[in-house]
Amino acid sequence: GQSLEQPSEVTAVEGAIVQINCTYQTSGFYGLSWYQQHDGGAPTFLSYNALDGLEETGRFSSFLSRSDSYGYLLLQELQMKDSASYFCAVRDDKIIFGKGTRLHILP
Amino acid sequence: EAQVTQNPRYLITVTGKKLTVTCSQNMNHEYMSWYRQDPGLGLRQIYYSMNVEVTDKGDVPEGYKVSRKEKRNFPLILESPSPNQTSLYFCASSFQGLAGDEQYFGPGTRLTVT
């Protein structure tokens, strides 16, 4: 079956850097996406990696290693507004999301 | 404004009473999808549609129906709702449904079945 594993919670300090990992097991693989969801809100797209390596978008970066079936989302210069849940997702025919990582930021 | 709309936003109903949750997008997207979100389980795909008249099962399709008669609309139908379908439901759309396509999510529909 298909599955994605990510930590349920991560805590970091404002201004610091945090990494949220995602390992996947899928029958087919076209790339890894990341979404952010604030409490009471809808998920919003952050990034997508199809090839190995690091993709940078402002304070957020995403990394993929296809050989290791592993990726991560890196958030730099953390701000309180980054407190949210973060989901990795893969698409085969269906779209499979991880269960999400709740990011807590301490002042 | 580009958006995905869902109605109703909140619904409380009783077991067995058929209901429909509407979803509409104004971005001319080909791909549309329904998800349910439950605490600790993340987002799970119910059904998806690659284009008009083309629908397919996601991970948790049991107890749900969908239709795609027009490109912009993708209603979710619960013929006989049960309490285990109490959940937060999201509709989403993307340009072509390719792996890297950004999905745009609607605001969500919170459904309670008693």
Side-chain angles (χ1 to χ4, degrees):
Chain A
Q2 301 186 89
S3 66
L4 290 91
E5 296 292 330
Q6 51 181 129
S8 58
E9 289 185 277
V10 171
T11 300
V13 177
E14 190 176 15
I17 299 172
V18 72
Q19 178 174 311
I20 298 173
N21 299 321
C22 175
T23 58
Y24 59 88
Q25 182 178 351
T26 58
S27 53
F29 181 78
Y30 298 103
L32 187 69
S33 299
W34 288 92
Y35 285 80
Q36 178 192 60
Q37 186 181 27
H38 287 99
D39 284 348
T44 56
F45 176 83
L46 291 176
S47 68
Y48 170 71
N49 295 67
L51 303 175
D52 286 1
L54 191 68
E55 296 277 345
E56 298 183 57
T57 309
R59 294 187 298 115
F60 292 7
S61 303
S62 56
F63 172 83
L64 176 65
S65 169
R66 295 175 71 114
S67 59
D68 294 324
S69 298
Y70 164 74
Y72 65 72
L73 180 69
L74 191 73
L75 294 80
Q76 303 182 74
E77 301 172 18
L78 283 172
Q79 302 174 9
M80 296 305 292
K81 68 178 182 178
D82 298 329
S83 295
S85 293
Y86 293 84
F87 297 87
C88 55
V90 299
R91 179 166 182 268
D92 186 356
D93 290 323
K94 310 168 192 173
I95 295 178
I96 306 294
F97 278 81
K99 294 179 180 176
T101 299
R102 181 72 180 236
L103 174 59
H104 303 278
I105 299 177
L106 304 176
Chain B
E1 180 191 354
Q3 61 182 348
V4 179
T5 57
Q6 297 178 225
N7 282 292
R9 294 289 313 279
Y10 303 90
L11 179 60
I12 301 174
T13 189
V14 296
T15 300
K17 186 176 181 183
K18 180 179 178 179
L19 67 91
T20 299
V21 184
T22 64
C23 172
S24 183
Q25 50 91 6
N26 63 0
M27 297 168 278
N28 203 36
H29 283 169
E30 293 184 358
Y31 185 93
M32 297 187 74
S33 182
W34 276 103
Y35 298 89
R36 60 177 290 173
Q37 185 172 32
D38 303 289
L41 296 179
L43 290 148
R44 292 181 292 169
Q45 193 176 43
I46 302 170
Y47 269 95
Y48 63 95
S49 169
M50 296 293 289
N51 213 325
V52 175
E53 302 292 0
V54 181
T55 63
D56 223 328
K57 296 178 180 179
D59 237 16
V60 288
E62 294 77 20
Y64 304 94
K65 285 175 58 176
V66 293
S67 68
R68 187 93 182 272
K69 293 184 171 57
E70 306 165 281
K71 198 170 189 178
R72 63 184 295 128
N73 296 324
F74 191 46
L76 179 70
I77 302 154
L78 285 73
E79 294 270 4
S80 182
S82 62
N84 65 11
Q85 292 178 299
T86 292
S87 187
L88 177 60
Y89 291 87
F90 286 101
C91 179
S93 72
S94 66
F95 181 49
Q96 287 185 315
L98 299 178
D101 281 356
E102 173 178 352
Q103 287 195 88
Y104 294 81
F105 283 80
T109 295
R110 188 166 292 281
L111 172 66
T112 302
V113 183
T114 62

